[in-house]
Amino acid sequence: MIRRVERGYGGCIRRSGQSDPVFYPAAFAEALLIKDQATYSDRAMAVDVDQADAFIGENDENIGLLDKVARCMVVYSPGLAMKLFESEVGSADEMARLNALYSSTPECRNSSAPKGVTSSLQRAAIAYAFYNWKQRSA
């Protein structure tokens, strides 16, 4: 899995040649999600809104905005979130998949990826959120 961080999240390696530790949990989460080989429809067929709201933490000040948006997207568009992990980190394909995820999930109130937040950080938030959502509902 360390190789996945270094290869898959290569753009996240610092000038010193070391990976930024913030990406390790996300890379592990992404690897476990891919290994599971579960299939998801692009959009969730049914969502328990109470469970979703509790997970997203809309009114929880301890959860950052990026994490809330990532949680929202994996709840309402799980298949599109999984498709993100099929792309190369930092690629145009990754950005296209991120934009498709944002634009296809109006419940999250963001029609496109936020400016000024790297795609790798958004991807990491989505991977971590997806893994936690899956663990919660397992």
Side-chain angles (χ1 to χ4, degrees):
M1 287 197 190
I2 297 298
R3 284 191 205 134
R4 179 166 180 76
V5 172
E6 292 171 351
R7 269 187 283 136
Y9 284 79
C12 308
I13 295 178
R14 297 177 182 166
R15 287 189 180 134
S16 66
Q18 295 179 340
S19 300
D20 190 329
V22 73
F23 293 104
Y24 282 92
F28 292 139
E30 188 175 315
L32 290 170
L33 289 164
I34 291 169
K35 182 181 176 192
D36 186 40
Q37 297 182 344
T39 57
Y40 302 91
S41 57
D42 285 355
R43 295 275 300 154
M45 301 310 258
V47 173
D48 180 322
V49 177
D50 292 333
Q51 283 186 358
D53 287 348
F55 176 71
I56 294 165
E58 197 67 40
N59 298 317
D60 189 338
E61 294 177 7
N62 295 317
I63 301 172
L65 181 59
L66 180 61
D67 291 327
K68 288 179 184 180
V69 172
R71 289 175 180 204
C72 179
M73 290 190 300
V74 301
V75 168
Y76 288 99
S77 297
L80 292 174
M82 281 301 293
K83 287 178 180 177
L84 173 64
F85 306 140
E86 297 170 3
S87 66
E88 182 83 23
V89 173
S91 68
D93 184 39
E94 178 190 54
M95 201 67 222
R97 290 175 190 233
L98 269 172
N99 281 322
L101 179 57
Y102 279 97
S103 66
S104 298
T105 317
E107 298 86 353
C108 304
R109 299 185 295 272
N110 292 322
S111 60
S112 63
K115 306 285 188 238
V117 180
T118 64
S119 60
S120 55
L121 190 56
Q122 293 174 63
R123 180 183 184 131
I126 292 165
Y128 195 62
F130 203 132
Y131 179 79
N132 284 315
W133 176 246
K134 188 170 187 234
Q135 293 303 310
R136 186 177 191 276
S137 57

